[in-house]
Amino acid sequence: MNSRKVLLVASVISFIEWFNKENVEFLLETMKCEVHIACNFDYMEDTDPERTKKYIDSLKEKGVLLHNIQFARNPLNKDNIRAYRDLKAIINKENYSLVHCHTPAASMITRLASKNARKHGTVVMYSCHGFHFHKSSPKKNWLIYYPMEKWLSKYCDYLVTINKEDYSRAKRFRCKNVRYIPGVGVDIKRIQECRIDKNAFKRNLGLPEGSLMILSIGELIERKNHRVIIQALGKLKRKDIYYVISGKGPLKNELISIARKYGIEDNVMFLGFRNDVPELCNAADISAFPSKIEGLGLAGIEAMAAGVPLVASNVHGILDYVIDGKTGFVRKPNDVDGFAQSIQTLADSKDLREAMASNCIEAVRPFDLSNALPAMWDIYKEILEK
């Protein structure tokens, strides 16, 4: 077995690009590993295809070996049967020292596909970016996902969690090595050193002078729950508040219809995929992060790094950095009235927003790249330097 041969697995290539780019570099350059990546390289609906294709080309230039596995995001999709067979064949053939998997469906398949390889010394690590069951999740999530994750935990050697609630629960699973790291890392310095003319930036987005900007960054999917903010703004009926959403996804037309139903379609803006996240964060007055499930949530941390208070859901990962009443306000994911009240409170008081800014900046320091990446790399060293 090549002690420096590693396979990274995720459902789609954008996940590797956004959340594992530095890990790939570390494994290549510092650990001198032969790195393989298995994911769906064809799915580009959640990213800028041109940028992601350039990233794929850069991986090839660096000698990373790519395996196109047609994972479906839904674990129960029949396409995952073929994905399981294809992945299992690769794992058994390549004889990896480490298989590191991410994202729910791909990680479920990977752990099952690696059963035979583990008998021959392959170490399997699962990075959980947020269990589907948590203190605020519906009962059906507990009935479906909790027993599934608990059972699958025996098929991995390391289980890495990125929020404290998941870590506490995972310690009761059957995996021997359960670890906590503070996320995948946010380049806080990049956000805080970004300098813009806030009013000019807003004008370029199409916002009128003196308006308030609420920002959400994330895919237009059910999990991100943008609809609750649109519904909250529909209740407020304030023409001075604009909801700016950066992201792509299948729910765009549905969200437009909801805004139209409430008569606020002119106050909800869909920017699509953007590469100017630091500028957007620094232009915002309030950030909205109402996810139904969130392992940690880089978008929330990025906004707070710019000193922007959050109106957020009270789900597990978000509660690691949002302090209700100090860095923003937390509400149950479907509490339309609660979100409306929180938005109103922040919109009506510039002094309150400014008072919360320093609290926001302080609260996200632990999630900086300088803390998160070394924590992950120490685990890599522990496994690969044996």
Side-chain angles (χ1 to χ4, degrees), residues 36-322:
H36 295 223
I37 295 174
C39 64
N40 188 333
F41 285 92
D42 299 324
Y43 185 87
M44 299 274 179
E45 298 303 314
D46 59 346
T47 187
D48 175 355
E50 185 177 343
R51 192 188 82 167
T52 298
K53 287 174 183 176
K54 287 180 181 177
Y55 177 65
I56 293 171
D57 289 340
S58 73
L59 291 173
K60 292 176 181 176
E61 290 172 4
K62 293 171 182 175
V64 178
L65 298 174
L66 309 181
H67 306 278
N68 194 359
I69 306 291
Q70 298 297 301
F71 291 115
R73 285 189 164 185
N74 184 343
L76 303 179
N77 190 304
K78 64 180 181 179
D79 290 344
N80 282 327
I81 297 173
R82 180 177 177 181
Y84 164 78
R85 291 171 180 162
D86 291 346
L87 184 64
K88 183 179 179 180
I90 292 166
I91 291 172
N92 288 339
K93 175 188 174 184
E94 296 292 345
N95 204 22
Y96 298 105
S97 59
L98 170 64
V99 174
H100 185 186
C101 56
H102 307 260
T103 63
S107 293
M108 180 185 75
I109 293 166
T110 302
R111 283 175 283 177
L112 293 174
S114 302
K115 286 169 64 177
N116 186 63
R118 287 181 72 221
K119 294 176 183 177
H120 295 87
T122 296
V123 174
V124 175
M125 177 160 58
Y126 167 39
S127 279
C128 172
H129 297 266
F131 288 131
H132 280 65
F133 46 91
H134 52 82
K135 291 177 182 177
S136 301
S137 64
K139 183 180 288 187
K140 67 176 183 179
N141 286 34
W142 283 91
L143 292 173
I144 297 170
Y145 296 108
Y146 177 77
M148 186 185 298
E149 286 289 0
K150 189 171 184 179
W151 173 66
L152 285 169
S153 67
K154 68 181 179 180
Y155 295 119
C156 62
D157 303 285
Y158 284 77
L159 202 170
V160 179
T161 60
I162 62 171
N163 69 66
K164 293 172 183 176
E165 183 183 337
D166 284 349
Y167 174 64
S168 177
R169 189 159 289 115
K171 285 194 295 184
R172 300 195 291 270
F173 287 0
R174 299 177 68 177
C175 180
K176 292 181 179 180
N177 296 292
V178 178
R179 303 294 172 83
Y180 164 78
I181 63 172
V184 297
V186 173
D187 191 349
I188 290 176
K189 183 178 179 182
R190 175 170 169 252
I191 293 168
Q192 293 180 346
E193 290 184 349
C194 175
R195 297 288 180 266
I196 61 166
D197 181 325
K198 187 169 180 173
N199 291 327
F201 192 89
K202 283 184 178 181
R203 284 196 300 272
N204 287 337
L205 290 177
L207 275 65
E209 198 75 31
S211 59
L212 285 166
M213 173 177 161
I214 301 177
L215 173 68
S216 282
I217 298 175
E219 284 185 85
L220 307 182
I221 55 177
E222 190 66 31
R223 181 169 66 86
K224 294 297 183 180
N225 198 30
H226 299 96
R227 75 177 70 228
V228 75
I229 302 300
I230 297 174
Q231 291 168 334
L233 293 174
K235 283 183 170 289
L236 293 177
K237 302 289 186 187
R238 288 185 53 160
K239 296 300 183 182
D240 62 326
I241 299 177
Y242 284 75
Y243 185 29
V244 176
I245 306 172
S246 172
K248 296 169 61 179
L251 295 187
K252 180 178 179 180
N253 289 336
E254 182 178 330
L255 295 172
I256 290 172
S257 295
I258 295 171
R260 188 176 296 123
K261 172 186 173 183
Y262 283 95
I264 59 168
E265 63 269 27
D266 292 337
N267 289 66
V268 180
M269 304 176 64
F270 296 89
L271 303 185
F273 186 87
R274 301 278 294 208
N275 290 310
D276 55 350
V277 169
E279 289 81 2
L280 285 168
C281 290
N282 280 280
D285 301 289
I286 302 167
S287 180
F289 206 45
S291 300
K292 295 179 179 180
I293 300 168
E294 202 63 64
L296 191 63
L298 297 190
I301 294 171
E302 288 169 337
M304 284 176 56
V308 179
L310 261 63
V311 289
S313 54
N314 63 343
V315 301
H316 50 346
I318 295 173
L319 294 177
D320 278 13
Y321 52 88
V322 178

Side-chain angles (χ1 to χ4, degrees), residues 324-340:
D324 190 41
K326 291 189 176 181
T327 64
F329 298 104
V330 294
R331 299 291 183 177
K332 292 180 180 179
N334 295 319
D335 184 2
V336 175
D337 290 337
F339 274 106

